[in-house]
């Protein structure tokens, strides 16, 4: 069974204080690893898809990286508007389904 | 561009009452469709998915059911709600990729989510 563990559960940052979120996974034949951002009371918003170890993707202050066992979401010089819950999900080889982690809630104080 | 709608946005229902949540997608054809439930502090739990009209796969045994009467419409139902059915219900879609016999797009498996329905069962 696919497993996804995200850490830490919660992260409080000062504005400008860079940090990283971790997503550890076990899956039989990774097809893709996905990062989403979710604001309170809203649906998840797609950020990145990573397909193979060594791959990196960037969007504004966010950078996602992937190894064979985990993925990191780096937040560089965060702003209060980066406050949200960040979800990680994996998809196995020949499967329609995504397995989600519980998420990391990031709070950025001005 | 593609848009996904869910309604209602919020719902408060008594135990034992029926349920019908609706999801529609615009701007694409033959999408794969998904229903998830999200409990507080927990990850998303896949409930149902569908690769075509009338084709429903259930992931979790429960008193919920799903139907897909039209290509871009996905409905989540229950005949009698339980307290444990409370939660945030999310609909998602993907392109109909090669796993479903369709053409291959660049990111066929990325799931795009709707705004969600907050269900409270009292």
């Amino acid at each position: 069974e696919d497993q996804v563990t995200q850490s830490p559960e919660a992260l409080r940052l000062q504005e400008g204080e860079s940090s990283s979120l971790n997503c550890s996974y076990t899956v039989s034949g990774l097809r893709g690893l996905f990062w989403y951002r979710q604001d309170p009371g809203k649906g998840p918003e797609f950020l990145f898809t990573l397909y193979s170890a060594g791959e990196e993707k960037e969007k504004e202050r966010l950078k996602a990286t992937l190894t064979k066992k985990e993925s990191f979401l780096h937040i560089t010089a965060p702003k209060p508007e980066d406050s949200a819950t960040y979800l990680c999900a994996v998809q196995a080889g020949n499967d329609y389904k995504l397995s989600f982690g519980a998420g990391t809630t990031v709070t950025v104080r001005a | 561009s593609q848009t996904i709608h869910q309604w209602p946005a919020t719902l408060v229902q008594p135990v034992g009452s029926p349920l019908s949540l609706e999801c529609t997608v615009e701007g694409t054809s033959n999408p794969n469709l998904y229903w998830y439930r999200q409990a507080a502090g927990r990850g998303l739990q896949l409930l149902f998915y569908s690769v075509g009209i009338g084709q429903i796969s259930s992931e979790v045994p429960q008193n919920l059911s799903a139907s897909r009467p039209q290509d871009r419409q996905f409905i989540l139902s229950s005949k009698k709600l339980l307290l444990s059915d409370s939660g945030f219900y999310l609909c998602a879609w993907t392109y109909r990729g090669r796993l479903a016999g369709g053409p291959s797009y660049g990111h066929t498996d990325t799931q795009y989510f709707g705004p969600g329905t907050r269900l409270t069962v009292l």
Side-chain angles (χ1 to χ4, degrees), chain A residues 31 36 38 49 51 91, chain B residues 38 98-99 107 109-111:
Chain A
R31 177 173 172 82
Y36 291 85
Q38 186 174 25
T49 306
Y51 292 101
Q91 183 176 24
Chain B
Q38 186 176 34
R98 58 186 176 84
L99 286 179
H107 294 283
D109 302 319
T110 298
Q111 293 190 11

Side-chain angles (χ1 to χ4, degrees), chain B residues 27-117:
Chain B
T28 188
S29 298
N30 302 317
N32 293 338
L33 296 171
Y34 305 80
W35 277 113
Y36 288 88
R37 177 168 58 203
Q38 186 176 34
R42 301 182 64 180
L44 277 68
Q45 178 188 35
L46 180 64
L47 302 175
F48 302 94
Y49 68 93
S50 170
V51 299
I53 295 174
Q55 299 179 63
I56 309 294
S57 295
S58 174
E59 290 297 305
V60 182
Q62 60 216 335
N63 68 320
L64 299 173
S65 62
S67 62
R68 185 170 177 175
Q70 300 180 40
D71 180 47
R72 290 169 289 179
Q73 184 184 34
F74 205 21
I75 296 173
L76 183 69
S77 303
S78 175
K79 293 182 179 179
K80 290 185 178 181
L81 284 168
L82 306 173
L83 286 174
S84 57
D85 292 324
S86 293
F88 192 47
Y89 287 82
L90 290 158
C91 181
W93 73 275
T94 65
Y95 288 104
R96 186 176 177 82
R98 58 186 176 84
L99 286 179
S104 179
Y105 295 97
H107 294 283
T108 55
D109 302 319
T110 298
Q111 293 190 11
Y112 300 94
F113 287 84
T117 295

